[in-house]
Coordinates of all heavy atoms in Angstrom, one line a residue:
I1 N 132.4 22.5 -70.3 CA 133.3 22.2 -71.5 C 133.6 20.7 -71.5 O 133.5 20.1 -72.6 CB 134.6 23.1 -71.4 CG1 134.2 24.5 -71.6 CG2 135.6 22.6 -72.4 CD1 135.4 25.5 -71.4
A2 N 133.9 20.2 -70.4 CA 134.3 18.7 -70.3 C 133.1 17.9 -70.7 O 133.3 16.8 -71.4 CB 134.7 18.4 -68.9
A3 N 131.9 18.3 -70.3 CA 130.7 17.5 -70.7 C 130.4 17.6 -72.2 O 129.9 16.6 -72.8 CB 129.5 18.0 -69.9
L4 N 130.6 18.7 -72.8 CA 130.3 18.9 -74.2 C 131.3 18.3 -75.1 O 131.0 17.8 -76.2 CB 130.2 20.4 -74.5 CG 129.0 21.2 -74.1 CD1 129.2 22.7 -74.3 CD2 127.8 20.7 -75.0
R5 N 132.6 18.3 -74.7 CA 133.7 18.0 -75.6 C 133.5 16.7 -76.4 O 133.7 16.6 -77.6 CB 135.0 17.9 -74.8 CG 136.2 17.6 -75.7 CD 137.5 17.4 -74.9 NE 138.6 17.0 -75.8 CZ 139.4 17.8 -76.3 NH1 139.4 19.1 -76.1 NH2 140.4 17.3 -77.1
P6 N 133.1 15.6 -75.8 CA 133.0 14.3 -76.5 C 131.9 14.3 -77.6 O 131.9 13.5 -78.5 CB 132.6 13.3 -75.5 CG 132.9 13.9 -74.2 CD 132.7 15.4 -74.4
H7 N 131.0 15.3 -77.6 CA 129.8 15.3 -78.5 C 129.9 16.3 -79.6 O 129.0 16.3 -80.5 CB 128.5 15.5 -77.7 CG 128.4 14.5 -76.5 ND1 128.1 13.2 -76.6 CD2 128.5 14.8 -75.2 CE1 128.0 12.6 -75.4 NE2 128.3 13.6 -74.5
L8 N 130.8 17.2 -79.5 CA 130.9 18.3 -80.5 C 131.4 17.9 -81.8 O 132.2 17.0 -81.9 CB 131.8 19.4 -79.9 CG 131.3 20.2 -78.7 CD1 132.5 21.0 -78.1 CD2 130.2 21.1 -79.1
R9 N 130.8 18.5 -82.9 CA 131.2 18.1 -84.2 C 132.1 19.2 -84.8 O 132.1 20.3 -84.3 CB 129.9 18.1 -85.1 CG 128.9 17.0 -84.7 CD 127.7 17.0 -85.6 NE 127.0 18.3 -85.5 CZ 126.0 18.6 -86.3 NH1 125.7 17.8 -87.3 NH2 125.3 19.8 -86.1
A10 N 132.9 18.8 -85.8 CA 133.8 19.8 -86.4 C 133.0 20.9 -87.0 O 131.9 20.7 -87.6 CB 134.6 19.1 -87.5
G11 N 133.5 22.1 -86.8 CA 132.8 23.3 -87.3 C 131.8 23.9 -86.4 O 131.3 25.0 -86.8
T12 N 131.5 23.3 -85.3 CA 130.5 23.9 -84.4 C 131.1 25.2 -83.8 O 132.3 25.3 -83.6 CB 130.3 22.9 -83.2 OG1 129.7 21.7 -83.7 CG2 129.3 23.5 -82.2
V13 N 130.3 26.2 -83.6 CA 130.7 27.5 -83.0 C 130.3 27.5 -81.6 O 129.1 27.4 -81.3 CB 130.1 28.7 -83.8 CG1 130.6 30.0 -83.1 CG2 130.5 28.6 -85.2
V14 N 131.2 27.6 -80.7 CA 130.9 27.6 -79.2 C 131.1 29.0 -78.7 O 132.2 29.6 -78.9 CB 131.8 26.6 -78.5 CG1 131.5 26.7 -77.0 CG2 131.5 25.2 -79.0
L15 N 130.1 29.5 -78.0 CA 130.2 30.8 -77.4 C 129.9 30.8 -75.9 O 129.1 29.9 -75.4 CB 129.2 31.8 -78.0 CG 129.1 32.0 -79.5 CD1 128.3 31.0 -80.2 CD2 128.5 33.4 -79.8
D16 N 130.6 31.6 -75.1 CA 130.3 31.7 -73.7 C 129.7 33.1 -73.5 O 129.9 34.0 -74.4 CB 131.5 31.5 -72.8 CG 132.3 32.7 -72.7 OD1 132.9 33.1 -73.7 OD2 132.4 33.3 -71.6
V17 N 129.1 33.4 -72.4 CA 128.4 34.7 -72.2 C 128.9 35.3 -70.9 O 128.2 36.1 -70.3 CB 126.9 34.6 -72.3 CG1 126.5 34.2 -73.7 CG2 126.3 33.6 -71.2
G18 N 130.0 34.9 -70.4 CA 130.5 35.3 -69.0 C 130.8 36.8 -68.9 O 131.1 37.5 -69.9
S19 N 130.8 37.3 -67.7 CA 131.1 38.7 -67.4 C 132.6 39.0 -67.5 O 133.0 40.2 -67.5 CB 130.6 39.1 -66.1 OG 129.2 39.0 -66.0
V20 N 133.4 38.0 -67.5 CA 134.9 38.1 -67.7 C 135.3 37.3 -69.0 O 134.5 36.4 -69.3 CB 135.7 37.7 -66.5 CG1 135.4 38.6 -65.3 CG2 135.4 36.3 -66.1
K21 N 136.4 37.6 -69.6 CA 136.7 37.0 -70.8 C 138.1 36.3 -70.8 O 138.3 35.3 -71.6 CB 136.7 38.0 -72.0 CG 135.3 38.5 -72.2 CD 134.5 37.6 -73.2 CE 134.0 36.2 -72.7 NZ 132.9 36.2 -71.8
I22 N 139.1 36.7 -70.0 CA 140.4 36.1 -70.1 C 140.4 34.7 -69.7 O 140.8 33.8 -70.4 CB 141.4 36.9 -69.3 CG1 141.7 38.3 -69.9 CG2 142.7 36.2 -69.1 CD1 142.6 39.2 -69.0
E23 N 139.8 34.4 -68.5 CA 139.8 33.0 -68.0 C 138.9 32.1 -68.9 O 139.3 31.0 -69.2 CB 139.4 33.0 -66.5 CG 139.3 31.6 -65.9 CD 140.6 30.9 -65.9 OE1 141.7 31.5 -66.2 OE2 140.6 29.7 -65.5
P24 N 137.7 32.5 -69.2 CA 136.9 31.7 -70.1 C 137.6 31.4 -71.4 O 137.5 30.3 -71.9 CB 135.6 32.5 -70.3 CG 135.5 33.3 -69.1 CD 136.9 33.7 -68.7
A25 N 138.3 32.4 -72.0 CA 139.0 32.1 -73.3 C 140.0 31.0 -73.1 O 140.2 30.2 -74.0 CB 139.6 33.4 -73.8
R26 N 140.8 31.1 -72.0 CA 141.8 30.1 -71.7 C 141.2 28.7 -71.6 O 141.6 27.7 -72.2 CB 142.6 30.4 -70.5 CG 143.7 29.5 -70.1 CD 144.3 29.8 -68.8 NE 143.4 29.5 -67.7 CZ 143.1 28.2 -67.2 NH1 143.8 27.2 -67.8 NH2 142.3 28.0 -66.2
L27 N 140.1 28.6 -70.8 CA 139.4 27.3 -70.6 C 138.9 26.8 -71.9 O 139.0 25.6 -72.2 CB 138.3 27.5 -69.6 CG 138.7 27.8 -68.2 CD1 137.4 28.1 -67.3 CD2 139.4 26.6 -67.6
L28 N 138.3 27.6 -72.8 CA 137.7 27.2 -74.0 C 138.8 26.7 -75.0 O 138.7 25.6 -75.6 CB 136.9 28.3 -74.7 CG 135.6 28.7 -74.0 CD1 135.1 30.0 -74.4 CD2 134.5 27.6 -74.2
L29 N 139.9 27.4 -75.0 CA 141.0 27.0 -75.9 C 141.6 25.7 -75.5 O 142.0 24.8 -76.3 CB 142.1 28.1 -76.0 CG 141.8 29.3 -76.9 CD1 142.8 30.4 -76.7 CD2 141.8 28.8 -78.4
E30 N 141.8 25.5 -74.2 CA 142.4 24.3 -73.6 C 141.4 23.1 -73.7 O 141.9 21.9 -73.9 CB 142.9 24.5 -72.2 CG 144.1 25.5 -72.1 CD 144.5 25.6 -70.7 OE1 143.9 25.0 -69.8 OE2 145.5 26.3 -70.4
G31 N 140.1 23.3 -73.5 CA 139.2 22.2 -73.3 C 138.5 21.8 -74.6 O 137.9 20.7 -74.6
L32 N 138.4 22.6 -75.6 CA 137.6 22.2 -76.8 C 138.5 21.7 -77.9 O 139.7 22.1 -78.0 CB 136.8 23.4 -77.3 CG 135.7 23.9 -76.4 CD1 135.0 25.1 -77.0 CD2 134.7 22.9 -76.0
P33 N 138.0 20.8 -78.8 CA 138.8 20.3 -79.9 C 139.2 21.4 -80.8 O 138.6 22.4 -80.9 CB 137.8 19.3 -80.6 CG 136.7 19.0 -79.5 CD 136.6 20.2 -78.7
D34 N 140.3 21.1 -81.5 CA 140.9 22.2 -82.4 C 140.0 22.5 -83.6 O 140.1 23.5 -84.2 CB 142.2 21.7 -83.0 CG 143.3 21.6 -81.9 OD1 143.1 22.3 -80.8 OD2 144.3 20.9 -82.1
D35 N 139.0 21.6 -84.0 CA 138.2 21.8 -85.1 C 136.9 22.5 -84.7 O 135.9 22.5 -85.5 CB 137.9 20.5 -85.9 CG 137.3 19.4 -85.0 OD1 137.0 19.7 -83.8 OD2 137.1 18.3 -85.4
V36 N 136.8 23.0 -83.5 CA 135.6 23.8 -83.0 C 136.0 25.2 -83.0 O 137.0 25.6 -82.5 CB 135.2 23.3 -81.6 CG1 134.2 24.2 -81.0 CG2 134.6 21.8 -81.8
E37 N 135.1 26.1 -83.5 CA 135.3 27.5 -83.4 C 134.9 28.1 -82.1 O 134.0 27.5 -81.4 CB 134.5 28.2 -84.5 CG 134.9 27.8 -85.9 CD 134.4 28.8 -87.0 OE1 134.3 30.0 -86.7 OE2 134.1 28.4 -88.1
I38 N 135.5 29.2 -81.6 CA 135.3 29.7 -80.3 C 135.1 31.2 -80.4 O 136.0 31.9 -81.0 CB 136.4 29.4 -79.3 CG1 136.7 27.9 -79.2 CG2 136.2 30.0 -78.0 CD1 137.9 27.6 -78.5
I39 N 134.1 31.8 -79.8 CA 133.9 33.2 -79.7 C 133.5 33.5 -78.3 O 132.5 32.9 -77.7 CB 132.7 33.7 -80.7 CG1 133.1 33.4 -82.1 CG2 132.5 35.2 -80.5 CD1 131.9 33.7 -83.1

């Protein structure tokens, strides 16, 4: 997430494919810009 953040554009949809979802959701919300979608 830290590596991607400076390069993401507004409206990009970011998805993770992890076997757990609570912790990844927290990391994605905290680490990605507000104008990026998260699933």
Side-chain angles (χ1 to χ4, degrees):
I1 292 170
L4 282 170
R5 182 185 174 96
H7 308 288
L8 291 168
R9 299 179 295 169
T12 300
V13 180
V14 177
L15 304 87
D16 83 295
V17 296
S19 298
V20 294
K21 293 273 70 77
I22 292 176
E23 179 62 9
R26 183 188 68 79
L27 292 172
L28 290 164
L29 280 171
E30 290 182 357
L32 293 179
D34 292 340
D35 56 6
V36 168
E37 297 197 32
I38 302 171
I39 301 174

